[in-house]
Amino acid sequence: MFDYETIRVIWWVFIGVVGIAFVLTEGFDFGVSTLLPFIGKTDVERRVIINTVGATWEGNQVWLVLLGGAIFAIWPAVYATLFSGLYVAMLLVLFALFFRPAGFDYRSKVENPTWRNAWDWALFLGGTLPPILIGVLVGNLILGLPFHLDQDLRTFYDGSFWALLSPFALLCGVSGLLLTTFHGALFLKWRSEDVIHDRAVLAVEILGPMLIAALSAVLLWIFIGIDRPEITQMAGTGAPSNPMHKTVISNGAGWIAHFMQYPWMWLAPLAGLGGFGMAWWMGKGESRMGAFLCSSVGVVGIALTVGFALFPFLLISSTDPNSSLTLWDASSSYSTMVLAFWITVIFLPIVLLYTRFVYRIIWGSVTEASVLQDSHTLY
């Protein structure tokens, strides 16, 4: 059986996979909702756009629930710190997500233009606010959050919601929105025809350079403008969890030095920028699947860049570096992680296979004719 150190790394990988699955699938859902009021000019066109994700949006959103549950079970200290300190931000994400099920289910119930237009903008908000707020969260994970632990390992958050909105975090929020909107435009292009397809191509042409420029600015800011903390002393990686059994200095060797220590990590940002660059170049042409797959590579590359950059940190404390939470000292007990491991090994492949089956069954272009023909079963 795995030792404590190995099972911690395995769970870091598992939770990373769940996080990437969320960004990949819910990412294009968010993007399609953001583009809805702008690409869809008539009621039928907007119904076409909605139904490109209508059969899968609920399943895609479950990845977020699974991510939260996994963090709660495996990294309870991280869960407690995030959901107590960032309570307002988390509630804003939750409230924004409320618009989505209501919008999808009620939008077409009443044949009234005002009613439907209001729900279209509700879906826009439900697809736009979460990626901005999640991007702001990622920015603050890199900058560090203002929290500290007392001798009883209780978390105390020392900041406020408005303090999260620093220039760097806002840039990350804008980058998150551009990422999901670009990813959604490519998905919409793949699953639509005629005028909606053409407008999605135009959105890809406009958004691609903006996304690459924003991500490049974020990476440059990280490498030259932000200090990375450094662990100078800590208990063994297989020791029982106690975040206070380590020493961390706030000004370490830097983010570039961290990547230079493990040169293979550079593949992640290269894949991110290169994938989005190829997606933009191919998306302007006739490519559908190829462009979307390149965008998916870009999403995975950016997600891995964040994970590799933070490793082994999970949460960095900007006010008390010694309270920072790492992979090695913020996890559940060994028995809990092993039990959860076997549950995951059994059920995660089933979830992935079922998801693949669903997409295979519902795949194909959504057209105005198909929406009008099935007006009572489609959104």
Side-chain angles (χ1 to χ4, degrees), residues 298-369:
V299 170
V300 173
I302 295 301
L304 289 176
T305 299
V306 175
F308 291 161
L310 289 173
F311 187 88
F313 290 103
L314 302 175
L315 289 181
I316 297 172
S317 173
S318 59
T319 54
D320 181 20
N322 288 332
S323 294
S324 299
L325 304 177
T326 75
L327 181 67
W328 314 120
D329 57 23
S331 62
S332 296
S333 66
Y334 175 77
S335 57
T336 299
M337 299 182 80
V338 170
L339 176 62
F341 168 81
W342 288 115
I343 294 173
T344 303
V345 166
I346 294 171
F347 288 102
L348 184 58
I350 296 174
V351 172
L352 294 173
L353 288 173
Y354 175 74
T355 301
R356 176 68 183 91
F357 171 76
V358 169
Y359 274 92
R360 181 178 179 181
I361 293 299
I362 60 92
W363 200 253
S365 296
V366 181
T367 63
E368 293 188 16

Side-chain angles (χ1 to χ4, degrees), residues 54-77:
T56 56
W57 71 269
E58 288 179 289
N60 294 342
Q61 198 159 288
V62 170
W63 288 110
L64 180 60
V65 179
L66 181 57
L67 180 62
I71 293 174
F72 173 78
I74 304 304
W75 299 326

Side-chain angles (χ1 to χ4, degrees), residues 108-167:
S108 297
K109 298 295 185 183
V110 179
E111 293 187 8
N112 180 285
T114 303
W115 170 272
R116 294 188 172 184
N117 188 61
W119 282 117
D120 290 340
W121 284 102
L123 286 171
F124 166 81
L125 290 175
T128 301
L129 290 180
I132 293 176
L133 293 171
I134 292 172
V136 169
L137 170 61
V138 172
N140 280 280
L141 292 181
I142 296 170
L143 290 171
L145 292 168
F147 71 92
H148 70 275
L149 304 176
D150 67 4
Q151 61 182 2
D152 296 318
L153 300 185
R154 294 178 299 179
T155 301
F156 293 87
Y157 190 74
D158 304 318
S160 65
F161 170 76
W162 299 110
L164 299 174
L165 305 179
S166 65

Side-chain angles (χ1 to χ4, degrees), residues 30-232:
F30 286 152
V32 168
S33 296
T34 300
L35 293 168
L36 174 64
F38 307 105
I39 290 184
K41 303 299 183 182
T42 66
D43 178 66
V44 176
E45 289 177 0
R46 292 185 176 184
R47 290 190 64 194
V48 169
I49 294 171
I50 290 172
N51 281 286
T52 59
V53 297
T56 56
W57 71 269
E58 288 179 289
N60 294 342
Q61 198 159 288
V62 170
W63 288 110
L64 180 60
V65 179
L66 181 57
L67 180 62
I71 293 174
F72 173 78
I74 304 304
W75 299 326
V78 173
Y79 184 93
T81 302
L82 283 179
F83 282 79
S84 59
L86 305 184
Y87 191 73
V88 174
M90 294 295 183
L91 280 181
L92 287 176
V93 173
L94 183 62
F95 291 155
L97 291 175
F98 285 166
F99 287 118
R100 294 173 59 73
F104 280 113
D105 289 335
Y106 293 117
R107 188 236 180 231
S108 297
K109 298 295 185 183
V110 179
E111 293 187 8
N112 180 285
T114 303
W115 170 272
R116 294 188 172 184
N117 188 61
W119 282 117
D120 290 340
W121 284 102
L123 286 171
F124 166 81
L125 290 175
T128 301
L129 290 180
I132 293 176
L133 293 171
I134 292 172
V136 169
L137 170 61
V138 172
N140 280 280
L141 292 181
I142 296 170
L143 290 171
L145 292 168
F147 71 92
H148 70 275
L149 304 176
D150 67 4
Q151 61 182 2
D152 296 318
L153 300 185
R154 294 178 299 179
T155 301
F156 293 87
Y157 190 74
D158 304 318
S160 65
F161 170 76
W162 299 110
L164 299 174
L165 305 179
S166 65
F168 174 76
L170 290 174
L171 177 60
C172 290
V174 171
S175 299
L177 177 61
L178 289 172
L179 185 152
T180 57
T181 309
F182 179 74
H183 197 48
L186 288 167
F187 183 82
L188 189 58
K189 174 193 174 183
W190 192 2
R191 296 210 62 197
S192 63
E193 303 288 346
D194 303 324
V195 65
I196 296 176
H197 172 87
D198 295 338
R199 291 172 187 158
V201 172
L202 179 60
V204 169
E205 292 182 10
I206 296 173
L207 292 169
M210 296 171 62
L211 172 60
I212 294 171
L215 290 176
S216 299
V218 168
L219 291 174
L220 184 63
W221 197 330
I222 291 173
F223 288 137
I224 68 173
I226 300 176
D227 292 324
R228 187 182 192 276
E230 182 178 347
I231 301 172
T232 59

